Amino acid sequence: MDLRHAVDDLLEPAFVLPDQMSRPATCGARESATHRLMLGILRDAVDLYLKALTPGNRVATKRLREVIAWFASNDRQWPFSFERICEALGFEPDYIRSGLYRQARQRRGDVSAAV
């Protein structure tokens, strides 16, 4: 599976309820430039995190530490914090975190099994 599909799978909800299909976006956020920017920030962070887990891929340690801290933070003061972005996009932060951590555990297991 390539990295782009892994990011899409991680951000895709496990299921969608029927009322969620017809529910309008809050304040037109789905069409706004801010919404697209927030989604881009989240996607870039997930890309970086997953890329760092790929064997042979060298991600700068400082950038990786920053993205790990960003995902782990409960900060709600900064408009582009992980928690605020998830809120604006309608994502559950803990759901995304658990998916990322699960990917990390699986990839570490795959590397250990290959050795």
Side-chain angles (χ1 to χ4, degrees), residues 66-85:
E66 288 171 354
V67 81
I68 289 171
W70 186 73
F71 282 122
S73 175
N74 291 321
D75 175 23
R76 300 188 54 75
Q77 299 299 314
W78 184 48
F80 292 101
S81 68
F82 176 67
E83 295 268 333
R84 294 289 299 268
I85 286 177

Side-chain angles (χ1 to χ4, degrees), residues 41-77:
I41 291 169
L42 180 59
R43 205 177 211 151
D44 184 55
V46 170
D47 270 346
L48 178 70
Y49 183 83
L50 294 177
K51 195 178 293 183
L53 298 176
T54 304
N57 198 321
R58 299 182 61 92
V59 172
T61 305
K62 180 182 178 197
R63 287 197 66 209
L64 181 58
R65 273 192 301 235
E66 288 171 354
V67 81
I68 289 171
W70 186 73
F71 282 122
S73 175
N74 291 321
D75 175 23
R76 300 188 54 75
Q77 299 299 314

